[in-house]
Amino acid sequence: MKRALAIMVGAAFILLLAMMTLVVLPYIQMSTEQVPPDLEPYTDQEQRGRDLYVANGCVYCHSQQPRDPSFAPGDKDRGWGRPAVPGDYANDQPHLLGTMRTGPDLFNIGARQPSDDWHLLHLYNPRAVVEDSIMPPYRFLFREVTSADDDDRVVNIPDPYGPDTGQVVATDDALALVAYLKSLDHTYPAPTLPQPEAAEE
């Protein structure tokens, strides 16, 4: 009986230690992380676009975490922007760091591609803007109409990527997703970003 009690106490202690190490200490560390002052919350449209980003599985092929050049110099060389810091994700629940990079990192896609037209065309047919893209088209985010109404957002699609007749207009979902992608612009200063050491004189 005493041995069983000792095993139970030991197991409880190990679970408590694991919880402290894996849950409590990281929570304390992250709760004191400085949020960059220029980070802005998502608008309602951007939040809706973020929900669509999650629902359509974009996170499976795109990361949102450029790494420090000392750890992964290729991220900077690809033009993906400054390394991410924990405070950059203060508005993100859940975080969309990503697990692989079948496509490019999108942490700063809003700075690299600030054009609505580019994003809409890319969503309708990725190969219209990136010839060797393996991204699937998201044509269900658009409508093909004979003639667009005055308040429709027409997508200008070059031949041979568009329909033979009529026009392509973006749905509210497409516009929301583009608004979210354009909001991914982390070019503001990050106070907690490690600074390179000054060269010795």
Side-chain angles (χ1 to χ4, degrees):
M1 183 68 179
K2 288 183 179 180
R3 185 172 180 183
L5 182 61
I7 291 173
M8 290 172 55
V9 169
F13 176 75
I14 291 171
L15 288 173
L16 179 63
L17 183 63
M19 187 178 77
M20 289 291 294
T21 304
L22 299 175
V23 178
V24 177
L25 292 177
Y27 176 80
I28 292 170
Q29 180 184 7
M30 295 309 297
S31 64
T32 60
E33 180 67 30
Q34 183 178 354
V35 177
D38 295 331
L39 177 67
E40 296 187 7
Y42 297 118
T43 65
D44 290 342
Q45 185 186 38
E46 290 166 356
Q47 183 59 54
R48 179 181 172 192
R50 188 176 190 276
D51 294 341
L52 288 162
Y53 181 96
V54 172
N56 285 289
C58 303
V59 70
Y60 294 120
C61 293
H62 295 283
S63 62
Q64 290 187 27
Q65 53 171 327
R67 294 165 292 188
D68 189 274
S70 63
F71 179 70
D75 288 4
K76 182 179 179 183
D77 296 342
R78 293 182 184 102
W80 289 348
R82 69 160 174 81
V85 297
D88 289 324
Y89 306 101
N91 298 328
D92 293 345
Q93 295 294 331
H95 304 303
L96 302 177
L97 301 179
T99 57
M100 63 186 305
R101 288 174 171 169
T102 303
D105 186 276
L106 298 182
F107 185 71
N108 277 304
I109 189 63
R112 297 197 313 264
Q113 296 291 350
S115 165
D116 285 10
D117 292 329
W118 187 93
H119 284 288
L120 290 169
L121 181 55
H122 185 247
L123 289 170
Y124 182 81
N125 191 327
R127 277 155 292 289
V129 290
V130 181
E131 186 177 351
D132 58 348
S133 175
I134 60 170
M135 176 174 153
Y138 288 83
R139 291 195 184 104
F140 59 88
L141 296 173
F142 301 86
R143 292 184 297 117
E144 293 184 9
V145 298
T146 304
S147 180
D149 294 333
D150 291 340
D151 58 345
D152 282 338
R153 179 62 164 85
V154 176
V155 183
N156 297 312
I157 303 172
D159 293 332
Y161 300 103
D164 294 333
T165 60
Q167 294 177 293
V168 173
V169 297
T171 64
D172 289 342
D173 283 350
L175 295 173
L177 183 53
V178 168
Y180 169 65
L181 292 170
K182 287 179 59 181
S183 77
L184 298 178
D185 180 349
H186 299 89
T187 52
Y188 50 77
T192 58
L193 193 65
Q195 299 300 317
E197 295 181 8
E200 294 183 5
E201 296 183 7

